[in-house]
Amino acid sequence: MSLLWPIALLGLITVPLILILHLLRNRRDQIDIPSLRFWRGLERKRHGALPRQIPLSWMLLLQLLIAAALTLGLARPALSFLLSQPRHTVFILDMTTSMIAEDVPSGVDGHIRRFDAARQMIRSELETMREQDSFSLISLDRRPQILLRGTGEKKVQALVALDNLVPGASGLNLSTALTLANGVIDDPNREHRILVLTDGNYPSPDSLPPVLAPVTWQIIPGQASSNQALLNVSASILPDGRHRLFGRVVNYGPQAVNRTLRLSTGAGLFDEITVQLEPQAETTQVWTLPAQAQIATVELVEADALALDNRAELLLANPTSHRVLLISNTPEVLSRALEVQPGVELQVDTPEMSQHDPAEFDLVIFDGLPAALTAWPVANVLIVNPPLGHPLLPAQGFERNLRPDPDSASALLAGIDLSGVYFGRAPQLDLPEWSQVDLRAVSPSGNKDAATPLLFHGSDGDSRLVVWAFDLADSNLPARLALPILTANTLSTLLSPSPPAVVPVGEPVFIDDNYTVEIPGGRQLTPTQLTGEAGLTFAHTKQPGLYRIYNQQAEPVAGFAVHAGSALESNLTEPLQPELLDITDVPAQTALAPQIEIEDIWPWLAGLALVVVVAEGWLAWRR
Amino acid sequence: MRLNLFKRQQERQKSTLPLFDEAFLRRLERLNFKTVPSLRGVMVGEQRSRNLRPALDFSDHRPYSTGDDLRHVDWNAYARHEELFVKLGETSQGIDIHILLDHSPSMTWKPGWPSSSAPANGAGNASISKWDSARRLAGALGYLGLSSGERLIVTPFGTELGESFGPTHGKRRVIPILQYLTAVAPVPASNKGVESGLARCLTAYSRSHPRGGLLILISDLLDAASSADIGQGAVWLAEGLRHLTPPRWQVIVMHFQSEQEADPVVEGDFDFQDMETGESLPFHLDGATLGQYRLRVRRWYNELQRACAHRGATYARVMAEWPVERAVIPYLRRRGVIQ
C-alpha cells in the first residue's frame, strides 16, 4: 500500500484531540436538584473533575472513525493498484563449484547440494508465479549469462530448463551479473526485484553497479563444512623423459585430518600415502613417473563436502608435435616467440639457403617474402612483413607510425593487450580476395574500412595463410607479451590446437571448428560461439576430467584436463556477508519513469466518512 | 365577559403565569371547596356551618343580647314570655381560605436530567418548573375561592413567612391576586440549618390566624434543614400541622413533586447541588443507586401521608407536569378537596 500524500497523516492528530474533547465533555456536570436529602449516603469518593477512563461511546467511536477515514482519504492510498501490478523477478543463480557442496540439511539427517537447494527456491518462486508475472534467470559465474527469460505462462518449460542446469565454475563476476540484471529490467509497468541465490563463497567485490530494483540476498544455508582439496596438480617432463608430478593438498576444515592420497597411472595404482593436515594448512606432494606414463590421476580417497575437488587427472604425453620452418634473415625475434610454444619443432633457414620442402613442415613462416616465390606453397603459411612489389601481395607503399585499432581485432588477437603497441612501418597492401582482416590500423580519416590492414588470414587453394603486415623490427611488439600470445594464436589458427594442460572447471577453451572434443564419458562435442567471446570456444568444461581433441580424420591431436579444485571454490568455511556489499538501490521510478495508473481509493474513504456522519447525526437525533 | 388576562398571549413576558381559557374558568366557577362544617366563618357565604346563628329559618332560640339584629328577635316568643329571644338556625357562612405557597429554592427546580427524555406519560409539560406549576395551581384555587365568595389569604413562605396578599374577597379581586402571584419570586438558597422552616412557618401562621379556616399548603415539603434521617421531614411536617388541627382548621397538603424528581432516569457521573442549601456532592448514577433513591422517596411519601392523616390533614401528591385544568382539578375532585 502506498500513500500518495503521506503528509496528510498529520491529520491523525485529530484523534487525540477528539479524545480530549470527549474527556472534557464527560467531566461531571453540576446539576441542581431540589434536595440532597434522599441522595445522602449514596455519593462516591471524589476523584477530580475528569473521568479516569476514556468514556467509550458510539459517538466517540464514530467520530474517531470519521477522523481516521478522512485522514486516510487525504493521504490518498492506492492499495488496489499495487496488488494487481505484475511482477518481474530476476534470479541471479550462483553456479560456481562451491554450490556443488553437499552440505545443506534436508530431511532427518540427509544433505543435498547447495545448488539443488537454490534450484528448489527458484522452483517454489516459479510455481507461485501468476500468469502476468515474468522472470529472468542469470548465471552467476565468471562469465554471467542470461540463461532464461519468460512469463508465468511458460513456467513449466522454465522448470524443465532449470532442472537441466549444471553448476561448475571457478570464481564469479557479480558486477556483470548485476549489470545484466539491470538490462532485463526494461518494463516500467512491472514491479521488479532481484533475487540473488548464492552460498556467498567468494570474496567481496570492490565495486558494484547501482541496481534498478531492490536486491534480496538468499544465502544458501550451508554448514561451513570441512573440505579438503587437490590444487595445482601439474606435470613437467624431466630431461630423461620421465614426468614430474606436483600437487597441493589443502585442508580448509577447522580440524586436523588424515587423508589418503592415491596416485594412479594408466597402468594402475602407482602410489598411495596418508597425509596429515592441520586446520587451514596444506602439504605439497611430488612424484616422478616413468616416461611411458600416459595419464595420471591423483585423488583423495575419503569423502568430504565437495567431492569434485578430490580428484585431478592429467594428460602426461601430448601427442601434438609441429614442425615449423622459419625462413628469415633476422630470425631472432620470431625464433624466441616460437620456441616457447609447446610442441613446436623449429627449423630456421635463410631465404637464399633454404633447401627444405615446405610440404614436409606443418607450418612455413616467411619473414619477408622471397621474390622467387610465385605461388603459395601447399602448406600452412605465415607471412611476416611482406615487401613492396611482390606479385602475391601487391602493395602501394608504406604507411608509417600506425597504431592498431582494438575495435577491429578478431579472435586471432584474443588475450592480447594492444594498448601502447605501435608499428613504425607497414606496407599498404591490396587485400587479396581470400583475405579476412583480423586487425586494422587506426585510420586518421575515421573510415575504418579504408584503414591499413595489419593482420589478415585466409585460404588460397590448399594453402592456409596468415599475414602479419608489419615490420617486427620497427615495432614495440617484440618487447611485449603480446608477441608470444599472437604467435600462439596464429599457430592455433594454422595448426592443430594446443590448449593449456589444465583448465579450471567452467572455463572455455579456444579451439577451431575443424576439431571435436571428447569429454569425460565419451561424448564428442564441437566448439560453439559463446556470447561475448570472439571466435569459437569450447565451453563444455563443467565436468572435471580429461578432454581429448580430435581432428577431422578422428586422430587425437591434443588434450587437456579440467580441474575443479581452486582456492576460491574449495574453501567453504567463510561465506560472504551480503550486508557488507556496497550496492546502491536506485529507485526504479527515477531510473525507468514507469507509467503507473494511480487508482485512488480516497473516494471510498470519503464516502465512508459521509455515511458515518449520517449515522452519527441519526444517533444524536435519537438522543 | 371574557377574561383576556387568562388568554395565551405570546407577547407576554416569560414570567407571566400561564393562562386559562374561558371554558375552564367557567368550569371553575361551578366548583366549590368542600369544607367541613366545623369551620368558623365570619360572614355570609356558601359554606355550611355547624354553628347556629341568627337566622330566619330557625331551629332554636337564645336570649337576646345587645347588638343582635332585631330582625332575628322572635316577637311571638316575646309575646308569650315577655322576654326577648333571638331565633337561631343553620346558615351558610363564608370561610377563610388560606393558601400557603412554598417559594423556597427547591420549588424552582425544572424537571429534566441531562440525558433524560420526555416524561413517561407524555401528558405533562417537561419544560415548566414546579414553581410555575404551583403558582398556576394557586391562581386557580384562588380564583375558585374568590368566585365562591370566600375570603382569601395568599401567603408565600420559605424559611420565613412572606408578605401575605389579603385577606380579600370578591370576584373582582381575581386580577390583583394573579398579578401578585406573577410578581412573587422564589427566595434564594440559605445556609443549612437544623430547624425546619416549614414547621416554623406553619406554627407562626396558625398563631397569626387564630380563627382558622381552610388552609391549602402548596409545597414540595423540602427545606434547608438537613437531616440524615429521611423520616425527619415528615416529623417536621407533623410538628407544623400540630397547630393546624380541626375543628378550626381544615388543612389540605398539596405535595408538589415532579415525575422526574420522583423517578429519575439518568446515568453517569454528576455533581449534585442542593438547591435549598447550596451543598454539593459527587454521584455516580447507575441502576443500584437510582433504585435506592426511589426506595427512599417512596418511604418519605408514606411517612408524609401518615403524618397528615395523624393531624387530620388531607394529603394530595400533585405532579408538576400535570396540566392544572385536565389533571390537577379532576384529581382534587377525586380526593374530595373540591366538589
Side-chain angles (χ1 to χ4, degrees):
Chain A
M1 174 177 176
S2 63
L3 299 176
L4 302 182
W5 198 41
I7 196 171
L9 291 181
L10 288 175
L12 288 177
I13 200 172
T14 54
V15 172
L17 287 179
I18 290 173
L19 290 176
I20 291 172
L21 288 176
H22 273 257
L23 282 172
L24 293 175
R25 178 178 174 272
N26 282 276
R27 62 188 306 167
R28 273 199 299 274
D29 293 332
Q30 183 154 326
I31 299 175
D32 289 336
I33 61 168
S35 176
L36 282 174
R37 180 177 297 169
F38 312 108
W39 296 101
R40 223 172 271 283
L42 303 178
E43 66 268 25
R44 68 185 307 181
K45 190 175 179 182
R46 191 181 290 273
H47 291 300
L50 291 176
R52 283 187 157 187
Q53 295 179 339
I54 295 175
L56 285 179
S57 64
W58 280 111
M59 298 292 278
L60 172 61
L61 294 177
L62 291 176
Q63 287 170 6
L64 290 177
L65 189 56
I66 290 171
L70 288 179
T71 301
L72 280 178
L74 282 174
R76 298 184 63 195
L79 179 62
S80 59
F81 171 77
L82 293 178
L83 285 177
S84 62
Q85 191 175 28
R87 301 176 67 182
H88 176 220
T89 305
V90 181
F91 301 103
I92 297 181
L93 176 59
D94 188 347
M95 298 188 69
T96 57
T97 304
S98 63
M99 290 291 284
I100 304 174
E102 192 170 337
D103 59 352
V104 178
S106 174
V108 179
D109 50 2
H111 291 83
I112 61 172
R113 300 191 304 172
R114 296 179 179 185
F115 187 77
D116 293 333
R119 190 156 48 187
Q120 185 57 42
M121 292 178 187
I122 297 177
R123 174 182 289 275
S124 301
E125 291 277 345
L126 290 176
E127 287 174 346
T128 58
M129 198 168 278
R130 300 169 299 176
E131 287 190 355
Q132 67 267 31
D133 295 336
S134 60
F135 67 93
S136 301
L137 178 59
I138 295 174
S139 66
L140 179 58
D141 49 23
R142 191 180 291 275
R143 292 175 179 79
Q145 300 177 69
I146 299 173
L147 302 177
L148 294 170
R149 285 195 77 176
T151 62
E153 297 175 345
K154 298 181 178 178
K155 59 186 175 185
V156 176
Q157 295 91 322
L159 291 172
V160 173
L162 185 67
D163 289 339
N164 292 329
L165 291 178
V166 177
S170 295
L172 51 79
N173 190 336
L174 180 59
S175 178
T176 303
L178 292 175
T179 303
L180 285 176
N182 285 340
V184 299
I185 298 174
D186 52 1
D187 187 350
N189 295 318
R190 291 181 181 272
E191 180 187 357
H192 299 277
R193 65 171 181 147
I194 299 173
L195 184 59
V196 182
L197 300 106
T198 176
D199 60 355
N201 198 51
Y202 48 88
S204 175
D206 294 333
S207 64
L208 292 171
V211 290
L212 302 179
V215 178
T216 303
W217 290 86
Q218 190 68 56
I219 301 299
I220 310 302
Q223 289 186 324
S225 310
S226 170
N227 184 43
Q228 291 78 44
L230 283 170
L231 304 183
N232 305 116
V233 176
S234 60
S236 60
I237 300 176
L238 296 175
D240 57 0
R242 292 185 299 169
H243 304 276
R244 175 152 291 169
L245 190 67
F246 301 89
R248 290 167 58 209
V249 185
V250 184
N251 177 20
Y252 289 109
Q255 295 175 340
V257 293
N258 291 325
R259 288 288 182 264
T260 303
L261 190 60
R262 182 181 295 165
L263 171 61
S264 306
T265 62
L269 180 64
F270 182 80
D271 189 17
E272 182 173 296
I273 59 173
T274 300
V275 293
Q276 185 172 7
L277 294 166
E278 296 299 320
Q280 299 294 328
E282 65 176 69
T283 181
T284 302
Q285 295 296 322
V286 180
W287 294 273
T288 302
L289 300 178
Q292 62 271 24
Q294 298 292 315
I295 59 173
T297 301
V298 185
E299 59 182 332
L300 288 167
V301 176
E302 291 83 2
D304 55 18
L306 184 60
L308 222 58
D309 58 6
N310 290 347
R311 180 183 174 93
E313 292 176 285
L314 279 178
L315 276 173
L316 298 177
N318 193 337
T320 307
S321 178
H322 305 294
R323 299 187 66 213
V324 176
L325 174 62
L326 173 59
I327 302 174
S328 172
N329 288 319
T330 54
E332 293 80 10
V333 174
L334 280 174
S335 295
R336 283 201 305 270
L338 289 167
E339 285 170 350
V340 298
Q341 305 299 325
V344 170
E345 296 178 12
L346 182 61
Q347 178 70 47
V348 180
D349 278 352
T350 60
E352 295 79 11
M353 302 295 292
S354 179
Q355 300 295 324
H356 294 91
D357 181 6
E360 297 175 358
F361 293 86
D362 298 314
L363 173 64
V364 179
I365 301 175
F366 294 105
D367 185 9
L369 201 56
L373 189 67
T374 57
W376 298 115
V378 181
N380 299 319
V381 181
L382 169 63
I383 302 103
V384 180
N385 190 22
L388 291 178
H390 198 282
L392 292 178
L393 287 174
Q396 304 298 325
F398 285 108
E399 291 282 339
R400 300 187 181 278
N401 297 324
L402 301 173
R403 292 191 176 278
D405 181 6
D407 293 339
S408 64
S410 71
L412 199 60
L413 282 301
I416 298 177
D417 182 11
L418 293 173
S419 59
V421 175
Y422 73 91
F423 303 98
R425 192 184 68 168
Q428 195 173 8
L429 296 172
D430 295 332
L431 284 174
E433 293 179 355
W434 47 263
S435 65
Q436 296 179 38
V437 177
D438 296 296
L439 183 67
R440 288 180 183 272
V442 176
S443 171
S445 64
N447 185 1
K448 293 187 176 182
D449 292 336
T452 303
L454 296 173
L455 205 150
F456 56 90
H457 74 277
S459 297
D460 186 10
D462 293 331
S463 303
R464 301 180 66 202
L465 304 161
V466 173
V467 179
W468 294 3
F470 48 81
D471 186 1
L472 282 173
D474 200 6
S475 169
N476 63 350
L477 193 64
R480 291 174 171 260
L481 184 61
L483 181 60
I485 298 176
L486 178 61
T487 306
N489 290 349
T490 303
L491 294 183
S492 296
T493 301
L494 294 174
L495 302 175
S496 61
S498 56
V502 175
V503 175
V505 67
E507 287 297 298
V509 178
F510 294 97
I511 300 175
D512 198 299
D513 59 354
N514 294 318
Y515 304 94
T516 58
V517 180
E518 181 186 272
I519 66 173
R523 286 179 61 202
Q524 290 203 343
L525 304 173
T526 55
T528 55
Q529 181 84 35
L530 279 185
T531 305
E533 296 289 347
L536 295 174
T537 54
F538 181 76
H540 301 279
T541 55
K542 293 187 175 180
Q543 185 177 357
L546 293 178
Y547 289 68
R548 301 178 191 275
I549 303 173
Y550 295 87
N551 61 16
Q552 292 178 337
Q553 290 73 38
E555 298 168 344
V557 294
F560 58 92
V562 172
H563 289 179
S566 75
L568 275 178
E569 301 300 327
S570 298
N571 188 354
L572 305 176
T573 57
E574 295 179 358
L576 176 72
Q577 302 299 318
E579 57 269 20
L580 300 179
L581 296 177
D582 183 20
I583 293 184
T584 306
D585 183 4
V586 178
Q589 57 267 34
T590 58
L592 296 173
Q595 299 174 355
I596 298 175
E597 287 186 17
I598 302 300
E599 196 169 320
D600 278 329
I601 61 172
W602 68 265
W604 295 97
L605 293 170
L608 173 65
L610 187 62
V611 169
V612 176
V613 166
V614 172
E616 183 180 357
W618 179 72
L619 274 179
W621 176 76
R622 283 191 61 188
R623 296 177 67 177
Chain B
M1 172 181 174
R2 224 177 142 85
L3 289 174
N4 291 331
L5 183 67
F6 293 113
K7 291 180 67 177
R8 178 182 297 274
Q9 297 178 9
Q10 298 296 334
E11 66 274 13
R12 288 204 170 188
Q13 304 236 337
K14 198 173 180 182
S15 60
T16 301
L17 278 173
L19 306 177
F20 305 91
D21 57 27
E22 191 172 351
F24 172 67
L25 294 176
R26 285 177 180 166
R27 283 199 300 272
L28 282 182
E29 286 178 350
R30 290 196 294 270
L31 297 175
N32 196 1
F33 284 109
K34 187 175 182 180
T35 60
V36 293
S38 61
L39 292 179
R40 286 188 292 181
V42 295
M43 51 183 293
V44 176
E46 295 185 357
Q47 303 301 325
R48 195 168 56 90
S49 174
R50 178 180 294 179
N51 299 325
L52 295 176
R53 294 172 179 267
L56 295 178
D57 296 330
F58 66 96
S59 60
D60 203 356
H61 291 85
R62 68 167 171 81
Y64 174 78
S65 61
T66 306
D68 285 342
D69 191 345
L70 291 177
R71 287 176 297 176
H72 297 135
V73 174
D74 189 349
W75 297 108
N76 292 329
Y78 176 72
R80 288 193 297 270
H81 302 289
E82 293 184 347
E83 288 186 22
L84 290 173
F85 289 96
V86 174
K87 292 182 284 190
L88 298 178
E90 285 190 359
T91 182
S92 58
Q93 61 177 350
I95 61 168
D96 290 346
I97 295 179
H98 306 266
I99 295 178
L100 277 177
L101 179 61
D102 186 354
H103 68 152
S104 65
S106 62
M107 287 294 286
T108 62
W109 189 72
K110 205 169 186 176
W113 297 93
S115 59
S116 65
S117 56
N121 57 10
N125 185 356
S127 63
I128 192 167
S129 67
K130 288 195 294 184
W131 173 237
D132 289 339
S133 183
R135 284 189 297 172
R136 188 186 303 174
L137 179 58
L141 294 178
Y143 178 82
L144 184 61
L146 292 175
S147 64
S148 303
E150 315 297 345
R151 201 169 68 151
L152 179 66
I153 304 169
V154 178
T155 305
F157 76 97
T159 54
E160 303 291 343
L161 284 173
E163 187 177 351
S164 297
F165 179 89
T168 185
H169 68 278
K171 206 170 178 179
R172 58 184 173 83
R173 298 294 292 169
V174 168
I175 292 177
I177 190 68
L178 293 179
Q179 288 175 336
Y180 168 78
L181 288 173
T182 302
V184 69
V187 294
S190 65
N191 293 331
K192 59 181 181 180
V194 294
E195 188 180 357
S196 170
L198 175 64
R200 186 169 61 249
C201 289
L202 290 179
T203 302
Y205 194 82
S206 67
R207 285 175 182 165
S208 61
H209 297 83
R211 197 168 56 190
L214 173 61
L215 187 143
I216 302 172
L217 176 63
I218 301 175
S219 171
D220 60 2
L221 303 179
L222 297 171
D223 56 21
S226 65
S227 173
D229 185 6
I230 295 170
Q232 189 62 37
V235 172
W236 283 327
L237 174 64
E239 175 62 20
L241 293 178
R242 189 165 64 87
H243 305 285
L244 298 167
T245 54
R248 282 191 301 146
W249 290 96
Q250 180 186 356
V251 178
I252 300 171
V253 177
M254 306 197 75
H255 186 193
F256 246 76
Q257 284 281 285
S258 164
E259 286 182 350
Q260 296 187 47
E261 181 184 1
D263 189 10
V265 182
V266 62
E267 286 188 352
D269 292 316
F270 300 99
D271 279 346
F272 283 170
Q273 186 171 27
D274 193 323
M275 298 177 72
E276 295 282 354
T277 65
E279 182 185 5
S280 178
L281 287 176
F283 290 92
H284 174 72
L285 299 189
D286 52 16
T289 306
L290 294 177
Q292 291 192 44
Y293 171 81
R294 293 187 189 105
L295 282 176
R296 292 179 179 188
V297 171
R298 280 202 290 272
R299 177 184 154 200
W300 181 54
Y301 289 164
N302 293 334
E303 290 177 350
L304 289 175
Q305 199 163 3
R306 278 200 297 272
C308 290
H310 181 65
R311 296 300 182 192
T314 301
Y315 175 82
R317 190 164 62 248
V318 178
M319 293 301 170
E321 293 86 350
W322 292 355
V324 172
E325 62 273 32
R326 283 180 292 159
V328 179
I329 297 301
Y331 172 73
L332 293 180
R333 288 188 71 175
R334 288 196 301 274
R335 295 300 307 269
V337 175
I338 57 179
Q339 59 182 358

